[in-house]
């Protein structure tokens, strides 16, 4: 009997991995695979109600289905996450000093916060702050745990994103706390590309926040990010992802140079960004990421027509997160334009059809 249960667990894991692979490229297939995994996990959890691992596996099945639904149906995502939350709360109560149980609970709070952020900023902040409290506890208990530090940095970043438009000063404080952690992690792991990438993104966030009111400060932040991204691109031998990151930074820096009156340097940087985007698009023609990033740079540069064209290409390559696009600050100049609204409608209709 134990062997049969183990076989079922393995089968559930395979279904879950297939769902993860389908991910963004095929949400319908991802939902189908995760649904198969869920059915097995429900049976296993019912057969062993006191088995913490079986209950944890079930909570992850609910969470994965929430992830799939989150891009097109926030209410469905919330319902899946709440089922996961109930299980994780029970496990945390049963083992209040178990770091794994506390981290699982913190992560589901963050997922609920993300879903809430689309319609209820106050509720989202409450969820994020709950997650933050647990991550503080974990950081105090395990100060040398780098993953806990990453989670804490992500928490600060989410809170900064949430209040960015309404309270830039508060957003800057959250981003600076995230930056301190990212700097520490990058210093501890100088050869870890992910740690370096996350540090470069921290600089970009602070640059974006400063760009509208203080281009000179934004330029400083972007230049720090650019130095890291040049090293990453060289280490990756100019892979598509490295080119895209580098292009994005050149484009943002170009905007601040233009604001500072350095028109020749600005135009040069903008053209360099477009050349790098073109290389990334050729290297990974089925990936909507470089097209989306190029649309962002065109938009903040003021090239609305080119931004819409690049965004349309990203949508044609199955980029479907309409809510993210609608709220992306880089597209502020496009909001209200009929072409932009049509693209949002197309994304939402396609996502609804999948459901």
């Amino acid at each position: 009997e134990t062997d049969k249960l183990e076989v079922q667990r393995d089968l559930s894991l395979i279904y879950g991995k297939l769902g993860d692979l389908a991910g963004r490229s095929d949400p319908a297939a991802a939902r189908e695979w995760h649904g198969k995994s869920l059915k097995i996990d429900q049976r296993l959890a019912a057969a062993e109600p006191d088995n913490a691992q079986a209950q944890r596996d079930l909570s992850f099945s609910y969470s994965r289905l929430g992830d799939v639904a989150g891009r097109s149906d926030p209410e469905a995502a919330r319902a899946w996450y709440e089922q996961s939350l109930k299980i994780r709360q029970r496990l945390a109560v049963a083992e209040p000093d178990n770091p794994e149980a506390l981290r699982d609970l913190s992560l589901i709070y963050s997922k609920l916060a993300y879903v809430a952020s689309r319609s209820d900023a106050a509720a989202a902040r409450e969820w994020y702050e709950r997650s933050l409290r647990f991550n503080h506890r974990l950081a105090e208990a395990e100060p040398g745990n780098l993953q806990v530090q990453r989670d804490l940095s992500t928490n600060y970043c989410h809170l900064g994103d949430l209040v960015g438009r309404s309270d830039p000063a508060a957003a800057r404080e959250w981003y600076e706390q995230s930056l301190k952690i990212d700097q520490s992690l990058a210093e501890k792991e100088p050869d870890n590309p992910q740690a370096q990438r996350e540090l470069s993104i921290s600089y970009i966030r602070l640059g974006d926040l400063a760009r509208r009111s203080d281009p000179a400060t934004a330029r400083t932040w972007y230049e720090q990010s650019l130095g890291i991204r040049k090293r990453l691109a060289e280490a990756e031998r100019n892979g598509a992802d490295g080119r895209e990151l580098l292009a994005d930074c050149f484009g943002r820096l170009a905007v601040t140079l233009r604001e500072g009156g350095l028109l020749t340097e600005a135009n040069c940087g903008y053209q360099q960004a477009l050349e790098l985007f073109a290389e990334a698009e050729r290297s990974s023609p089925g990936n909507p990421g470089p097209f989306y990033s190029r649309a962002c740079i065109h938009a903040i540069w003021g090239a609305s027509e080119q931004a819409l064209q690049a965004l349309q290409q990203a949508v044609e390559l199955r980029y479907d997160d309409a809510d993210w696009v609608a709220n992306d600050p880089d597209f502020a100049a496009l909001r209200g334009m009929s072409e932009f609204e049509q693209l949002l409608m197309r994304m939402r209709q396609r996502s609804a059809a999948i459901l």
Side-chain angles (χ1 to χ4, degrees):
E1 185 63 31
T2 301
D3 289 343
K4 289 181 181 179
L5 293 177
E6 199 61 42
V7 169
Q8 289 298 302
R9 287 191 187 96
D10 290 343
L11 184 58
S12 173
L13 286 172
I14 291 170
Y15 287 147
K17 288 179 179 179
L18 287 167
D20 291 341
L21 284 173
R24 282 186 177 271
S25 63
D26 192 345
R31 188 175 64 253
E32 184 176 348
W33 288 120
H34 287 315
K36 289 181 178 182
S37 179
L38 173 65
K39 288 179 181 178
I40 295 173
D41 290 340
Q42 286 174 324
R43 289 198 301 269
L44 293 173
E48 299 183 288
D50 297 324
N51 183 322
Q53 187 58 53
Q55 299 300 318
R56 184 172 186 258
D57 291 343
L58 178 57
S59 84
F60 273 93
S61 276
Y62 286 134
S63 179
R64 290 189 187 102
L65 282 162
D67 293 343
V68 174
R71 293 186 288 275
S72 56
D73 189 346
E75 283 305 304
R78 182 179 59 78
W80 288 119
Y81 290 151
E82 285 177 346
Q83 292 190 74
S84 178
L85 174 64
K86 290 176 184 177
I87 296 171
R88 296 185 187 195
Q89 285 175 324
R90 290 198 300 269
L91 292 174
V93 168
E95 296 186 89
D97 296 321
N98 183 333
E100 183 177 73
L102 295 179
R103 182 169 188 265
D104 288 348
L105 192 53
S106 172
L107 289 173
I108 204 66
Y109 284 149
S110 283
K111 290 177 184 288
L112 281 159
Y114 178 72
V115 171
S117 69
R118 302 182 178 196
S119 58
D120 189 342
R125 180 163 186 164
E126 183 178 343
W127 285 119
Y128 278 138
E129 287 179 346
R130 288 187 189 185
S131 177
L132 183 62
R133 286 195 290 272
F134 277 95
N135 279 327
H136 275 305
R137 283 177 56 186
L138 289 167
E140 290 170 2
E142 300 182 273
N145 187 321
L146 300 186
Q147 184 56 58
V148 169
Q149 293 298 315
R150 290 188 190 98
D151 291 343
L152 192 55
S153 172
T154 300
N155 254 142
Y156 290 139
C157 171
H158 285 324
L159 283 161
D161 291 344
L162 188 65
V163 302
R165 290 188 194 175
S166 60
D167 192 346
R172 186 174 61 253
E173 289 182 12
W174 289 121
Y175 287 152
E176 286 174 349
Q177 290 192 73
S178 177
L179 174 64
K180 287 178 183 178
I181 295 173
D182 290 342
Q183 287 173 324
S184 174
L185 292 173
E187 186 177 337
K188 290 175 181 175
E189 299 184 290
D191 298 323
N192 182 333
Q194 187 59 34
Q196 301 300 318
R197 184 177 187 275
E198 287 168 359
L199 177 58
S200 83
I201 292 171
S202 272
Y203 289 135
I204 290 288
R205 288 193 186 97
L206 283 159
D208 286 349
L209 193 65
R211 190 176 68 234
R212 295 166 188 82
S213 59
D214 189 352
T217 296
R219 177 182 172 184
T220 300
W221 289 122
Y222 290 148
E223 286 174 342
Q224 292 188 74
S225 181
L226 182 62
I228 295 171
R229 293 187 176 191
K230 282 181 176 178
R231 293 194 297 273
L232 289 173
E234 290 170 3
E236 293 172 11
R237 295 185 179 179
N238 291 319
D241 186 55
R243 287 192 185 106
E244 180 187 344
L245 289 172
L246 195 55
D248 178 81
C249 200
F250 270 122
R252 292 177 191 280
L253 182 57
V255 173
T256 64
L257 290 169
R258 187 175 61 178
E259 291 291 330
L262 301 172
L263 301 184
T264 301
E265 293 89 337
N267 286 320
C268 181
Y270 181 58
Q271 290 305 316
Q272 193 165 4
L274 298 186
E275 290 170 11
L276 286 164
F277 278 131
E279 292 174 9
E281 290 161 10
R282 286 194 297 269
S283 297
S284 185
N287 178 8
F291 295 94
Y292 184 91
S293 296
R294 178 160 61 84
C296 292
I297 296 306
H298 281 313
I300 63 174
W301 182 259
S304 297
E305 184 177 344
Q306 292 94 323
L308 289 165
Q309 289 172 352
L311 183 58
Q312 182 176 344
Q313 288 174 293
V315 172
E316 288 171 354
L317 290 171
R318 311 298 298 179
Y319 189 93
D320 281 338
D321 197 340
D323 285 339
W324 180 269
V325 174
N327 293 290
D328 191 329
D330 287 341
F331 294 139
L334 304 184
R335 292 193 191 101
M337 296 178 65
S338 60
E339 299 95 328
F340 184 69
E341 298 304 323
Q342 287 168 8
L343 285 171
L344 290 176
M345 185 182 300
R346 180 179 170 186
M347 284 185 275
R348 288 179 174 130
Q349 288 175 341
R350 190 160 62 195
S351 296
I354 292 171
L355 297 173

